[in-house]
Each structure stands twice: as structure tokens, then as C-alpha cells.
Amino acid sequence: MANRIMRILTGRGVRAAAGATLVADGLVGIDVPGGRKRAGIFGSLVMLAVGIVFIWVGWWWHGQHQPYDGGTSTTATVARVTTSRDSDGRTMYSRVLTFTTSDGRPVEFTESERSTRRPAIGSSATVSYLPQDPESARIIPETDWLPYGVIAMGALAALIGVVIFLVRLVSIVAGIYLLTAGRRRQ
């Protein structure tokens, strides 16, 4: 009787069921008790893609805070402040900066980024501009940590996606092995 139970538990049906479960878990993930969701190989690829998008956005954003290649850098002064409201009704502030180009032409521009902190009129900022298009000036911040934070979050998401992909790939290979092992023992 015990021998028969052992043959049933180690037979091809059990191997095939375990193999099919591993393949399904590897491909799409299986919800586990307690409400925890596990990503399959497809979910890991989505996580990897999202991570790469975050890395790209952070890198692009950081590039917007760098001096122009072939551009000129100078100091601009906050001439005035514009206000607007965000979707939550909070007051947002943008600096209107003025500077003089190397050929003596005065330029005024409004920064594209907004903040809830009101800037001080008369304060200064470093800007970079192209000599042929000084109105395209951009502010070069002293510290630029926020884009690096976006890059780091993207790198973490991409790394997690790669690890989950590898784990799920092993699960799929093990499941295929069990399915074929069950079939061979017929």
C-alpha cells in the first residue's frame, strides 16, 4: 500500500502537473495566498521596460540642466516672478530672468519649471544659451539631484525586472523538464 502511494506521488501525472504549474507560474505568475501578486516573465519584461523609460527620462531631464554644447554661460538675475495655480489649487511660482548676451543684447525669459517656493527678486542663477538663439536659455542648477533620483529608481526597477525574468526563466525550464520527464516515463 505504501509502495503504491509512493508510485502515485512520484508518477508522471504528478510530474506533469508540477511541470505545468511551474510553466504557468513562470509565464504569467500565480497569485499566492495572502493577496500577494507575483509577476511572471511577461510582467518582468514590463518592469524592465518601465525601468528603462525612467532611466531615459532622468537622463534627458539631467541633460536639460547642462550647458549647451557650443553655448555661452552667464549669470542671470531674477527680474520678476510669475504665478499660476496647479491642479490642486496651490500657487506655483516661475522666475523671469534677465541677462545680457556677450554682444550686449538684453534677454528676458521665463523658466519652464515651477515651484511652490517664491523666489527672491534680485537673486541670481547661472544660465547657458546659444549665441544665435539666446531666448532658448536654460538654467544650470548648482545641484541636480532630482534627475539622478529618477535614474536610480529606473535602474532599480530594471534590475528587479531582470532578476524576476531570470527566476521565471529557470521556473519555465524546470517546468518543461518535468513535463518531458513525465512524458518519457509512460
Side-chain angles (χ1 to χ4, degrees):
M1 177 74 136
N3 200 13
R4 184 169 183 219
I5 292 173
M6 284 304 291
R7 272 189 274 133
I8 291 171
L9 291 178
T10 59
R12 69 177 185 262
V14 172
R15 285 192 181 124
T21 302
L22 283 173
V23 169
D25 183 42
L27 290 175
V28 295
I30 295 176
D31 297 346
V32 295
R36 195 177 69 166
K37 308 282 187 205
R38 291 177 17 170
I41 204 162
F42 299 122
S44 71
L45 292 174
V46 168
M47 186 174 288
L48 176 62
V50 167
I52 290 171
V53 167
F54 268 72
I55 291 169
W56 181 85
V57 166
W59 193 256
W60 174 84
W61 190 7
H62 174 69
Q64 298 305 303
H65 294 161
Q66 297 301 304
Y68 284 109
D69 287 336
T72 303
S73 293
T74 189
T75 301
T77 304
V78 177
R80 64 182 199 279
V81 176
T82 62
T83 60
S84 60
R85 299 265 180 208
D86 68 0
S87 60
D88 296 330
R90 293 179 296 197
T91 302
M92 302 298 289
Y93 302 98
S94 294
R95 298 181 286 187
V96 178
L97 296 124
T98 59
F99 65 93
T100 304
T101 63
S102 55
D103 61 359
R105 192 169 115 207
V107 177
E108 180 178 280
F109 75 100
T110 304
E111 73 177 321
S112 57
E113 295 179 13
R114 303 180 311 162
S115 172
T116 56
R117 290 187 1 199
R118 183 178 181 88
I121 293 176
S123 62
S124 62
T126 302
V127 297
S128 177
Y129 67 94
L130 296 169
Q132 66 274 20
D133 186 17
E135 284 77 20
S136 68
R138 61 174 138 190
I139 299 169
I140 309 303
E142 291 179 25
T143 57
D144 196 23
W145 61 269
L146 200 53
Y148 286 126
V150 173
I151 292 170
M153 287 188 312
L156 181 62
L159 178 65
I160 291 170
V162 167
V163 169
I164 291 172
F165 179 84
L166 293 174
V167 168
R168 295 301 176 218
L169 191 60
V170 168
S171 182
I172 290 169
V173 169
I176 291 171
Y177 173 79
L178 286 175
L179 279 171
T180 58
R183 179 136 176 99
R184 278 183 283 185
R185 293 193 176 238
Q186 287 182 359

